Amino acid sequence: MSQPKERAERVEQVIPGLYRWSVQDDRIGGVSSEAYAVVAEDGAVTLIDPLPIKEEALRELGPVEAIVLTAGNHQRAAWHLRKVFGAPVWAPQQAYGLEDNADVTYGAGDTLPGGLVAYHTPGPAIAMYTLWLERPRSVVFLSDLLTHDEAGTPRFVDSQYQDDPARTRSSVRRILEHLPIEVVCFAHGDPLLHDAASVLRRALDEDTEFPLEATEPA
């Protein structure tokens, strides 16, 4: 099964209109995994890479109308929650490893439910996407490009677990160049609510495995 065994009991607000829940993920050695819910101005709820959670906690947010995956390896509890809420699953084009068929596929530049915009950011996997939410603050959902499992600077996942680690760095640089970044949400670890762009630049500067001069543009 694609989903962790642990189930979250509640969500917490990240900023107005954006919520998060976490589990200790047994599939990856107990590391914290994060999922998100965006509540639109009309009250519609979009789930992002949803993890197992008490269903009532999501119902309290409003009607769940869509589920968006950033990559095939983030299907998690998507299929179960699709059955519960009758919400379509949106997945990247050419996402691999899906246990069921997505209702809708998307590609670079597409606008998704909840006002999310998709940016192709390969590296950890070829079909991996960063999602951008313009309101109420400029939020970037980085999927597996970086993790933030400690209080310090976010770090890149070990190269052995990435398809193309140099391209991961290029993807992060492109996001910094093309998107206004106020808040960063990770698939693993606490969000950055302040100075997020500066922190991402520091992650690149402190990277010793693939320093800037050693990587090629994507």
Side-chain angles (χ1 to χ4, degrees), residues 6-73:
E6 183 176 327
R7 186 181 73 162
E9 294 294 319
R10 61 185 63 86
V11 300
E12 62 181 35
Q13 180 176 274
V14 179
I15 59 174
L18 173 60
Y19 298 83
R20 163 198 178 201
W21 68 100
S22 308
V23 302
Q24 300 305 304
D25 200 328
D26 60 283
R27 305 168 305 162
I28 50 176
V31 170
S32 178
S33 289
E34 325 300 325
Y36 301 90
V38 172
V39 182
E41 292 180 353
D42 64 1
V45 178
T46 299
L47 309 181
I48 301 173
D49 294 341
L51 293 156
I53 185 171
K54 184 179 178 181
E55 293 153 13
E56 186 58 34
L58 296 180
R59 289 194 176 95
E60 291 175 357
L61 296 178
V64 176
E65 297 196 359
I67 299 167
V68 176
L69 307 183
T70 59
N73 63 312

Side-chain angles (χ1 to χ4, degrees), residues 87-103:
V89 172
W90 293 57
Q93 297 167 0
Q94 300 179 332
Y96 64 83
L98 296 180
E99 296 176 358
D100 205 339
N101 295 322
D103 299 285

Side-chain angles (χ1 to χ4, degrees), residues 166 169-177 204 212 215-216:
R169 277 73 174 175
S170 296
S171 289
V172 173
R173 286 197 295 274
R174 287 203 323 277
I175 290 300
L176 282 165
E177 291 169 359
L204 287 166
L212 178 60
T215 57
E216 296 292 335

Side-chain angles (χ1 to χ4, degrees), residues 141-162:
F141 300 87
L142 274 188
S143 194
D144 282 340
L145 292 178
L146 288 158
T147 66
H148 192 216
D149 52 3
E150 298 177 358
T153 304
R155 64 177 182 83
F156 291 95
V157 175
D158 292 343
S159 295
Q160 62 181 319
Y161 301 117
Q162 300 190 51

